[in-house]
């Protein structure tokens, strides 16, 4: 039953003591020229919390063309580029923070197995880390946290509660003070990648669009070799001890013309995000053409498939027990798989060997009473054999099969996207994120596009988002137009209109007929919204003594919504207007609220019309 079926007409549904309707209840979309011109900062630091790995990069505002990325983390694995560190955290037995990244992994690995059970080791999740100490060394001058603008990246398909959660975590972790929210901006990962990609120089990318058969290589063979040469080139270019300095004024720019459209496919560890942008010259501002889409099809899907394969061979009961009883050895096994996973390629013919930790072989014998070799012979898995050196030998087809479900999902998503009318005449497709290094994925995208767009893969592809996030922090106004991912609005009462409104929604109060549950749309799903554009609404407290007005915000994936009671409409947030300290002598107070939807987060501002004093306004998406 709808708890809002019988509000009194002087109140908005579900919010006792509010009149949502007033004479100035008209939508006006103004663009705020001052959107995003906050205080000036000395440095911008971006943190990319990936599902599998994390990293940071920064630039000084006086040298915006030089982006510094951290060079190498201590630790690291052979065969894996270590410009980011695993998103891994180790907590002591009494749940205190111990270490992060490679340090956490290596320490945990060295613990005795009886001891390690009491420690808490968390991996492949998104969390935060920060440091300002080394920035002072680089700047050659002391500066404190107030001089730093922080940028945290999130997938574009994340909804508002998840973005707010990251912001709350940053406040709780002491990254920025709660009373200075402008100091932290949330960047959407594919947007950041897009900002960086349009500035690429020719030596910083592999361009599959221009490849023809050369030096006896077919373009598909070039997939792997191009990336290998790229990595070598990047490796030889590293200058400073800790940071890679990069000038971001590119040559791809000269190929971009007014109105050109491109797609960014951001393939990370956890998610795949698709964004469609159009460029506006001469400034290179960007306009989003279709709302961000994607899904949980990141490279960890391949790890899950590998785990399913192990369960098929050795039994899920054993794998579950092994993870509990020998957790560090399980981590070891997954590290061994990670480096072999990166060696998978479409034209590979020789098998891939995966080292089984001794404790796996030993524990399996104790658990089952027979050997690992026996299990492999007995299993019906043809493509995986046992090698006398104590390794699993995987036929390349077996490895490719582990990639298939994840890559199929990505290709299906891309196919659907390219069928949308807004997504035509795409000049470039930028493939970014750590998973973009996979030759199997590169080939699948090439096959799907059939030459419709040029595929561009930046070198150091896993750092593209990080560098773009720094550029976004330096100029948050670069993306001028976005598409709303959902329809947002509030529930209101309207005068009842015979024939237009359903009779069951009619409410009679003091001789006036009202229609309840009417959805007042602020912004519709996939609607274009300019940066700084505001939606204005006026609200009146029901009683002069009322100090706080609380208004429920509803959302839906449908573009047209008439009533808050329709299927698919849910309460997603609350707008809170705190009018304490703005007492007014006016007989009827009017609080004018401005909501901004054109940014990566939704913002609200409010003013008491009679006194022109600002009212504290906040939107909460977490406590639903």
């Amino acid at each position: 039953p709808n708890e809002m079926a019988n509000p009194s007409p002087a109140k908005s549904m579900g919010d006792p003591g509010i009149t949502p309707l007033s004479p100035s209840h008209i939508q006006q979309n103004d663009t705020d020229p001052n959107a995003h011109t906050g205080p000036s900062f000395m440095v911008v630091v971006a943190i990319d919390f990936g599902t599998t790995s994390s990293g940071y990069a920064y630039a000084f505002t006086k040298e915006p063309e030089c982006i510094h990325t951290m060079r190498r983390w201590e630790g690291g694995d052979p065969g894996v580029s270590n410009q980011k560190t695993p998103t891994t955290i180790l907590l002591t037995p009494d749940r205190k923070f111990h270490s992060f990244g490679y340090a956490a992994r290596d320490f945990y690995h060295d613990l005795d197995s009886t001891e390690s059970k009491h420690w808490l080791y968390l991996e492949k999740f998104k969390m935060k880390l920060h440091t300002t100490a080394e920035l002072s060394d680089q700047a050659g001058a002391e500066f404190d946290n107030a001089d730093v603008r922080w940028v945290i990246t999130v997938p574009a398909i994340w909804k508002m509660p998840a973005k707010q959660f990251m912001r709350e975590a940053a406040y709780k972790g002491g990254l920025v003070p709660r009373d200075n929210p402008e100091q932290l901006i949330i960047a959407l990962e594919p947007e950041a990648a897009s900002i960086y990609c349009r500035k690429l120089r020719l030596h910083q990318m592999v361009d599959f669009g221009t490849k023809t058969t050369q030096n006896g290589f077919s373009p598909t063979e070039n997939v792997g070799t191009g990336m290998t040469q790229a990595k070598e080139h990047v490796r030889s270019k590293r200058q400073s001890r800790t940071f890679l300095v990069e000038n971001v004024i590119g040559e791809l720019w000269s190929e971009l013309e007014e109105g050109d459209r491109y797609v960014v496919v951001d393939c990370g560890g956890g998610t795949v995000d698709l964004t469609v942008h159009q460029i506006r010259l001469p400034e290179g501002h960007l306009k989003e053409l279709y709302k961000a889409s994607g899904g949980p099809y990141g490279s960890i899907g391949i790890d899950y498939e590998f785990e399913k394969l192990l369960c098929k061979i050795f039994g899920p009961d054993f794998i579950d027990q092994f993870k509990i009883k020998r957790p560090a050895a399980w981590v070891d096994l997954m590290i061994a798989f990670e480096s072999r996973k990166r060696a998978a390629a479409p034209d590979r013919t020789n098998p891939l060997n995966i080292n089984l930790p001794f404790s796996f072989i030993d524990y399996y014998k104790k658990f089952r009473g027979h050997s690992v070799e026996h299990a492999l012979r007995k299993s019906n898995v043809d493509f995986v054999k046992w090698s006398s050196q104590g390794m699993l030998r995987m036929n390349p087809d077996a490895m490719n099969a582990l990639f298939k479900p994840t890559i199929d999902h990505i290709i299906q998503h891309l196919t659907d996207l390219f069928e949308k009318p807004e997504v035509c005449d795409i000049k470039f497709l930028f493939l970014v994120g750590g998973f973009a290094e996979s030759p199997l994925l590169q080939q699948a995208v090439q096959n799907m596009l059939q030459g419709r767009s040029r595929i561009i893969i930046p070198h150091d592809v896993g750092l593209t988002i990080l560098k773009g996030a720094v550029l976004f922090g330096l100029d948050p106004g670069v993306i001028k137009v976005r598409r709303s991912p959902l329809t947002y609005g509030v529930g209101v009462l309207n005068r009842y209109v015979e024939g237009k409104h359903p009779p069951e929604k009619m409410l009679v109060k003091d001789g006036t007929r009202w229609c309840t549950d009417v959805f007042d749309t602020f912004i519709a799903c996939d609607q274009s919204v300019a940066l700084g554009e505001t939606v204005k609404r006026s609200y009146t407290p029901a009683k002069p003594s009322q100090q706080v007005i609380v208004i429920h915000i509803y959302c839906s994936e449908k573009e047209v919504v008439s009533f808050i009671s329709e299927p698919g409409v849910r309460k997603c947030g609350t707008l809170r207007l705190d009018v304490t300290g703005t007492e007014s002598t006016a007989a009827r107070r009017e609080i004018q609220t401005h909501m901004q939807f054109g940014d990566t987060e939704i913002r609200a501002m409010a003013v008491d019309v009679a006194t022109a004093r600002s009212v504290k306004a906040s939107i909460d998406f977490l406590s639903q």
Side-chain angles (χ1 to χ4, degrees), residues 231-529:
K231 281 188 209 157
E232 275 315 308
H233 181 82
V234 169
R235 222 166 265 141
S236 64
K237 280 285 194 210
R238 304 255 155 95
Q239 302 114 310
S240 59
R241 189 184 56 79
T242 321
F243 304 98
L244 181 65
V245 177
E246 175 146 355
N247 292 310
V248 278
I249 298 152
E251 291 139 359
L252 201 62
W253 191 258
S254 59
E255 293 200 39
L256 287 166
E257 293 163 13
E258 173 65 38
D260 271 352
R261 298 152 177 243
Y262 59 83
V263 170
V264 175
V265 182
D266 171 15
C267 309
T271 50
V272 167
D273 257 334
L274 310 176
T275 310
V276 188
H277 278 161
Q278 184 172 39
I279 198 149
R280 292 165 157 191
L281 297 174
E283 305 88 349
H285 290 150
L286 300 174
K287 174 183 178 180
E288 191 175 23
L289 292 180
Y290 185 72
K291 67 176 195 285
S293 60
Y297 316 126
S299 59
I300 53 171
I302 302 154
D303 300 352
Y304 292 143
E305 291 297 319
F306 177 60
E307 195 177 317
K308 270 163 53 182
L309 179 70
L310 291 176
C311 287
K312 197 171 165 187
I313 299 169
F314 302 108
D317 53 342
F318 167 71
I319 296 297
D320 287 346
Q321 274 306 301
F322 180 67
K323 281 163 133 179
I324 295 163
K325 293 284 196 297
R326 302 281 188 275
W330 173 255
V331 172
D332 255 10
L333 176 57
M334 291 314 284
I335 291 167
F337 174 68
E338 180 68 29
S339 77
R340 303 324 294 142
K341 182 170 94 178
R342 287 162 187 266
D347 49 358
R348 190 182 174 106
T349 50
N350 53 330
L352 294 128
N353 291 329
I354 296 162
N355 255 322
L356 277 186
F358 171 74
S359 66
F360 185 98
I361 298 164
D362 183 52
Y363 190 65
Y364 185 77
K365 188 146 181 91
K366 285 189 182 124
F367 190 87
R368 285 269 190 258
H370 59 244
S371 70
V372 161
E373 193 179 348
H374 177 82
L376 277 159
R377 271 205 309 273
K378 282 272 171 289
S379 80
N380 295 325
V381 182
D382 293 336
F383 295 124
V384 184
K385 300 277 182 276
W386 176 247
S387 92
S388 53
Q389 289 97 22
M391 294 182 183
L392 284 180
R393 285 174 75 88
M394 280 186 84
N395 175 309
D397 290 348
M399 180 60 97
N400 296 1
L402 299 183
F403 277 75
K404 192 177 182 330
T406 304
I407 288 179
D408 285 353
H409 271 304
I410 296 170
I411 296 302
Q412 186 56 55
H413 241 84
L414 263 177
T415 307
D416 294 347
L417 183 72
F418 271 77
E419 281 170 1
K420 299 272 186 289
E422 304 93 327
V423 189
C424 57
D425 304 322
I426 300 296
K427 190 164 189 174
F428 298 112
L429 182 140
F430 292 106
L431 203 51
V432 304
F435 191 21
E437 288 187 65
S438 161
L440 291 167
L441 177 62
Q442 292 169 5
Q443 189 188 50
V445 174
Q446 265 184 306
N447 293 345
M448 176 246 144
L449 280 177
Q450 297 287 312
R452 278 181 287 179
S453 311
R454 272 168 64 190
I455 303 171
I456 306 274
I457 305 175
H459 295 172
D460 257 2
V461 70
L463 297 181
T464 306
I465 289 154
L466 210 38
K467 293 169 183 173
V470 173
L471 293 174
F472 181 62
L474 291 164
D475 178 17
V478 60
I479 297 185
K480 291 289 181 227
V481 180
R482 288 186 173 85
R483 297 282 182 139
S484 176
L486 295 166
T487 296
Y488 289 99
V490 291
V492 296
L493 290 164
N494 277 356
R495 289 292 180 103
Y496 186 83
V497 178
E498 203 75 55
K500 179 186 168 190
H501 293 139
E504 66 273 16
K505 298 279 184 198
M506 187 174 79
L507 179 82
V508 180
K509 190 85 177 180
D510 302 331
T512 307
R513 298 197 306 170
W514 298 91
C515 179
T516 65
D517 292 352
V518 174
F519 187 93
D520 168 31
T521 304
F522 289 165
I523 189 162
C525 181
D526 206 31
Q527 180 183 330
S528 283
V529 54

Side-chain angles (χ1 to χ4, degrees), residues 538-567:
S538 287
Y539 299 102
T540 306
K543 294 196 271 315
S545 60
Q546 193 178 341
Q547 302 294 301
V548 177
I549 302 175
V550 178
I551 297 153
H552 294 317
I553 296 176
Y554 293 84
C555 69
S556 170
E557 290 185 3
K558 290 192 298 190
E559 282 180 46
V560 180
V561 181
S562 304
F563 297 99
I564 60 168
S565 50
E566 286 175 23

